[in-house]
Amino acid sequence: APLGARGSLRFASSIAEAVIDADFIVEAVPERLETKHAVYADVEAHAGDNVIIASSTSGIMPTDLQAKIQAPLCPRPVHQ
């Protein structure tokens, strides 16, 4: 994807504000499952239904990350 216009970077004061219009979210919080679950709950409460959430984790299984998400999986594989 092309870089955004110079000066287009913005900061949000909350997860809700950051994800409200997002299509793709990258979660990059400490490797603590309870912290990630709390962030995902906040994201899920404020993001759109079709948002893709990626994680920076290297040591937590995807099934554990998704354990408390209401709609954890895409209904079908996404191919491009």
Side-chain angles (χ1 to χ4, degrees), residues 2-76:
L3 294 174
R6 187 177 193 96
S8 66
L9 180 65
R10 69 177 177 86
F11 293 89
S13 59
S14 67
I15 290 174
E17 182 184 345
V19 304
I20 196 73
D21 293 322
D23 295 318
F24 182 77
I25 297 166
V26 178
E27 163 274 303
V29 298
E31 293 283 300
R32 294 183 184 93
L33 189 55
E34 63 278 357
T35 301
K36 290 182 181 288
H37 282 170
V39 168
Y40 290 166
D42 208 2
V43 167
E44 192 167 35
H46 297 98
D49 292 337
N50 294 317
V51 69
I52 296 171
I53 304 171
S55 178
S56 66
T57 191
S58 61
I60 300 174
M61 297 296 295
T63 50
D64 294 333
L65 289 175
Q66 299 178 33
K68 296 187 178 183
I69 294 176
Q70 298 298 312
L73 299 173
C74 233
R76 62 184 185 280

